[in-house]
Amino acid sequence: MPIAKVNGVEVEFEPGMTVLQVAERAGEEIPRFCYHERLSIAGNCRMCLVEVKPGPPKPQASCALPAAEGQEIFTDTPMVRKAREGVMEFLLINHPLDCPICDQGGECDLQDQAMGYGRDGSRYAENKRAVEEKNMGPTIKTFMTRCIQCTRCVRFVTEVAGVPDIGMISRGEDAEITTYLEKAVDSELSGNVNDLCPVGALTHRPWQYHYRPWELKKTETIDVMDALGSNIRADAKGAEVMRILPRVNEGINEEWLSDISRYAVDGLQRQRLDKPYVRENGRLRVASWDEALGLVAAKLNAAAADRIGVIAGDLQDAESMKAALDLFRALGSANTDCRQDGSALGYGPRESWLFNSGLAGIEAADAVLIVGANPRTEAPLLNTRLRKSWVAGTSEIGLIGDQADLTYQYSYLGAGSKTLSKLPKAAMDALTQAERPAIIVGGGALSGETGPAVLNAIGALAKKVGAVVDGWNGFNVLHTAASRVAGLDMGFVPTAGGKTAGEMLKPGALDVLFLLGADEVDPTGSDAFRVYLGSHGDRGAHGADVILPGAAYTEKSGLYVNTEGRVQLAERVVFPKGQAKEDWAILRALSAMVGQTLPYDTLDALRAKLMADHPTFGRIDWLAPSASFDVASLGKKGDLGDVAFRSSVRDPYLNNPITRASVTMAELSALRIAPVAMAAE
């Protein structure tokens, strides 16, 4: 590898690296505002100036200067210091003196670098210019007078989000960042521009003036708004979670986060269940824990084993599902299901329900067929990876299902099963000739009566085109529920003679129906005694005869398995509200009342039992390597019919009880349905 000197120290670097990257490899800190390692190089701010020999005797922008063999790089000479002071002085000419009221205060790059690299005064006494605020939607609050035109926001929405709604107009002192027509940024990733902004020009509108960063307790945890398992940091003030920010994880979310994962946080405070309720004379009334659990226990003991059942919801942790599964199996029930959408998955090898290529690995696929899924709404950060490979020109993408704007070009092949039964020749040739073909199948194709037949047909197609071979597994199931893979891994599906979720909800099917955070089904059609254990007063609670208040995902420590099969640990951020308890603890107390006491009294003991019964859960943050399997044996052969594949996520902003309780999600949903400009505050 070539070698350069940084402040007299020799450093090896890879060809194509910039001077800034070489300097950082040597351990030198280079200030910057416009440069970001995941965005294209702009070279606007000039804060990263260094001195380079051989070269002209002047400071040069290190972010845009290619490193070369034998270069000598100097990062702290008098020339460099004077140049950086001058750049900072220019940047502060028009920047307002409003740090005390700025939400960026305390975590602002401009503050930090002004202290580290700026002058102690300014030679400019002219009036500062003022710029009108811009309307960028319900997630972005603008104070454009603070803008230093670094263009990070412009490059992110254009290159990563694929929605070129933000740009720069005019020149010189009149230059402004704007959305051109005063419209909201039409992206499910818009909140990332607030993270990228190095000053206080773009801040988080939902959290405006709510906190100071030094007041917050920071907890690293896992997101559950989709099945990707994005790594996040939850910041709490007292008993309230104030904000959610992304953590870097190259294998999952890189350093981005979807708006749903980020801004649904206000839903954790609203419509909460904080005490037990029982229904009496058609109305719910507050009850004690003993009364509520005693009533549920009496109903379970009075019913036959084949007349009781449990449905697990989309946000459940593995521990609560394990406790529910152990309890109902001990009671003799085969009616257990974690598939609220009626998916055909759950039987066969583990690879049959995983995203086997891996979220990062899908970028290596050179031909991708999407069946019954809309990655942009179901998994926005997976969609950015598909866009990345499309922009690089390394993959062709085809789609069967809803025709939607995915932010990249694709070949639309058809609407549903009719197309799948006879794939167009061009698409078939692209998959067959590809070195690493991949098929992404969503819940929209696998639910319903034709689900098993569709799964079998997709498996046969995957085998025919060589999507599953030694060293490459391109059969990928895109889940939308954070709990689904964990439930399938532990066998939370009906056993022999058991009823599915849809069958349990039919009139006369059961005597007691237990809803474990299940809010995406309508329980009002069932005439069973309905018990709801969950955190929000949503669909499940509305039709319940007994409500047991549980903990939201930020209020308990739990294991989740993402769509690629990676087990991750979510940590507790705050304590449950009111009298609410952790879900597994409620089930443990109930088990004692029904005479089937579960063999664990602590969370650690429960996890030990879970890992003993299912060793997969013992390998935290481990991604299994690609493994081939008989993909053609999936599902059941049958008539595919003529069924249109519709995405299982119709409105991503109202997809679970937390988002439906969120004011910000309601605003985003309204904007999505009726895309009109929202009035700026």
Side-chain angles (χ1 to χ4, degrees):
M1 289 197 297
I3 297 176
K5 283 187 176 180
V6 179
N7 295 335
V9 179
E10 288 190 349
V11 179
E12 288 187 347
F13 63 92
E14 299 174 7
M17 295 183 75
T18 64
V19 169
L20 185 149
Q21 291 171 317
V22 173
E24 289 198 329
R25 177 167 282 198
E28 298 294 335
E29 180 180 347
I30 305 294
R32 83 291 298 269
F33 290 112
C34 68
Y35 175 79
H36 192 279
E37 56 271 17
R38 299 187 196 275
L39 305 176
S40 62
I41 295 171
N44 326 7
C45 74
R46 320 307 286 181
M47 195 64 206
C48 64
L49 295 173
V50 297
E51 189 176 349
V52 179
K53 295 179 181 179
K58 65 176 184 178
Q60 300 189 62
S62 60
C63 71
L65 182 64
E69 172 73 36
Q71 269 183 340
E72 292 186 64
I73 304 165
F74 302 93
T75 66
D76 197 30
T77 63
M79 177 195 293
V80 170
R81 287 196 295 270
K82 183 177 180 181
R84 289 175 179 170
E85 287 176 358
V87 169
M88 182 59 70
E89 192 174 6
F90 275 120
L91 290 174
L92 295 176
I93 288 175
N94 285 312
H95 198 80
L97 301 175
D98 60 356
C99 293
I101 63 163
C102 178
D103 274 342
Q104 198 85 342
E107 47 190 9
C108 174
D109 291 349
L110 188 63
Q111 283 181 330
D112 296 341
Q113 294 184 39
M115 288 294 293
Y117 304 98
R119 291 166 52 91
D120 58 359
S122 174
R123 291 168 286 184
Y124 292 90
E126 290 79 9
N127 290 333
K128 295 178 181 288
R129 78 163 185 166
V131 183
E132 286 186 1
E133 292 186 26
K134 305 295 187 293
N135 170 30
M136 293 191 181
T139 64
I140 305 172
K141 179 65 176 176
T142 63
F143 293 89
M144 301 314 291
T145 300
R146 302 170 183 161
C147 181
I148 61 171
Q149 284 80 46
C150 72
T151 68
R152 280 186 179 182
C153 55
V154 177
R155 284 174 283 150
F156 175 82
V157 298
T158 303
E159 298 166 10
V160 180
V163 182
D165 283 350
I166 303 178
M168 180 181 284
I169 60 172
S170 301
R171 301 178 66 186
E173 190 182 29
D174 296 325
E176 295 183 20
I177 302 292
T178 179
T179 55
Y180 306 114
L181 300 176
E182 285 289 305
K183 69 181 288 290
V185 177
D186 184 21
S187 173
E188 59 288 341
L189 301 169
S190 63
N192 292 288
V193 301
N194 303 327
D195 289 344
L196 287 170
C197 185
V199 296
L202 305 179
T203 58
H204 301 280
R205 183 185 289 271
W207 311 330
Q208 185 185 6
Y209 304 142
H210 283 192
Y211 57 81
R212 282 299 190 183
W214 54 83
E215 299 177 313
L216 304 177
K217 183 189 75 171
K218 303 169 178 62
T219 306
E220 295 185 350
T221 184
I222 303 300
D223 171 62
V224 301
M225 294 296 107
D226 57 30
L228 298 191
S230 297
N231 285 211
I232 59 173
R233 193 188 81 198
D235 294 354
K237 181 179 179 182
E240 181 177 354
V241 181
M242 302 300 295
R243 67 178 182 181
I244 300 288
L245 297 176
R247 288 190 290 133
V248 176
N249 188 312
E250 298 295 345
I252 301 177
N253 57 302
E254 298 178 292
E255 64 181 79
W256 314 126
L257 196 60
S258 70
D259 290 347
I260 304 154
S261 301
R262 186 190 300 266
Y263 295 119
V265 64
D266 62 324
L268 293 168
Q269 298 298 120
R270 295 180 171 86
Q271 299 181 18
R272 292 302 304 272
L273 300 173
D274 59 358
K275 52 180 72 72
Y277 291 86
V278 298
R279 191 175 298 277
E280 191 174 85
N281 299 323
R283 298 177 64 88
L284 288 170
R285 64 168 177 82
V286 177
S288 67
W289 272 109
D290 285 342
E291 181 186 3
L293 290 175
L295 180 57
V296 176
K299 293 291 185 179
L300 287 172
N301 285 329
D306 62 346
R307 300 287 295 173
I308 61 176
V310 56
I311 302 174
D314 292 348
L315 305 182
Q316 291 304 122
D317 56 293
E319 292 88 344
S320 65
M321 289 192 291
K322 175 61 173 172
L325 188 63
D326 286 351
L327 173 59
F328 278 78
R329 288 285 187 267
L331 292 171
S333 175
N335 306 319
T336 56
D337 205 350
C338 65
R339 306 163 303 176
Q340 291 186 96
D341 59 358
S343 167
L345 299 169
Y347 303 98
R350 186 172 189 249
E351 289 78 14
S352 66
W353 57 74
L354 296 184
F355 198 95
N356 292 288
S357 299
L359 299 176
I362 196 64
E363 294 180 29
D366 45 3
V368 180
L369 175 64
I370 303 172
V371 183
N374 181 338
R376 186 175 177 186
T377 57
E378 296 177 22
L381 298 175
L382 170 65
N383 201 57
T384 64
R385 293 187 183 274
L386 294 172
R387 173 178 165 77
K388 189 192 303 184
S389 58
W390 172 79
V391 168
T394 58
S395 71
E396 297 180 58
I397 302 173
L399 173 69
I400 301 176
D402 288 334
Q403 191 168 6
D405 178 10
L406 298 181
T407 72
Y408 45 82
Q409 293 179 5
Y410 58 85
S411 300
Y412 183 66
L413 307 177
S417 58
K418 195 172 182 180
T419 305
L420 182 62
S421 61
K422 189 176 182 181
L423 209 61
K425 184 177 184 302
M428 195 69 181
D429 290 345
L431 289 168
T432 304
Q433 295 167 12
E435 185 178 346
R436 291 177 299 277
I439 299 175
I440 299 176
V441 55
L446 298 179
S447 57
E449 294 181 359
T450 60
V454 169
L455 179 60
N456 182 265
I458 294 173
L461 175 63
K463 184 171 184 177
K464 186 174 183 179
V465 302
V468 180
V469 295
D470 289 340
W472 173 255
N473 190 334
F475 177 81
N476 300 299
V477 177
L478 179 58
H479 293 282
T480 58
S483 66
R484 188 63 50 80
V485 175
L488 296 177
D489 281 352
M490 69 177 68
F492 206 112
V493 291
T495 54
K499 297 180 174 64
T500 64
E503 292 168 343
M504 283 189 260
L505 293 165
K506 292 179 180 178
L510 298 177
D511 292 336
V512 180
L513 174 62
F514 197 102
L515 300 172
L516 180 61
D519 290 284
E520 309 313 313
V521 294
D522 182 9
T524 56
S526 170
D527 54 5
F529 182 83
R530 299 182 292 269
V531 182
Y532 176 76
L533 193 166
S535 60
H536 283 70
D538 204 78
R539 295 170 185 163
H542 289 170
D545 296 298
V546 174
I547 296 175
L548 306 175
Y553 76 103
T554 54
E555 298 162 5
K556 57 188 175 184
S557 176
L559 294 173
Y560 293 88
V561 187
N562 75 350
T563 190
E564 61 182 351
R566 190 192 303 259
V567 180
Q568 299 186 99
L569 177 63
E571 296 288 359
R572 184 173 62 196
V573 182
V574 294
F575 288 96
K577 308 299 179 191
Q579 299 178 36
K581 310 289 182 184
E582 293 185 26
D583 300 4
W584 76 268
I586 298 171
L587 291 162
R588 169 62 179 77
L590 178 61
S591 71
M593 288 193 170
V594 296
Q596 297 289 345
T597 305
L598 295 174
Y600 30 78
D601 297 324
T602 65
L603 184 60
D604 287 341
L606 169 52
R607 284 181 179 157
K609 179 74 162 57
L610 173 64
M611 294 172 187
D613 292 347
H614 310 283
T616 301
F617 289 92
R619 309 189 75 169
I620 307 295
D621 204 31
W622 180 75
L623 182 62
S626 296
S628 60
F629 69 106
D630 185 8
V631 69
S633 65
L634 300 179
K636 295 180 181 178
K637 290 185 178 181
D639 183 14
L640 297 180
D642 187 7
V643 179
F645 298 153
R646 303 190 66 193
S647 170
S648 59
V649 176
R650 303 314 303 170
D651 188 340
Y653 298 116
L654 302 176
N655 201 39
N656 62 57
I658 297 175
T659 58
R660 286 191 285 269
S662 166
V663 173
T664 306
M665 293 297 103
E667 293 174 351
L668 287 170
S669 177
L671 191 66
R672 180 175 181 267
I673 295 171
V676 295
M678 300 183 67
E681 292 181 1

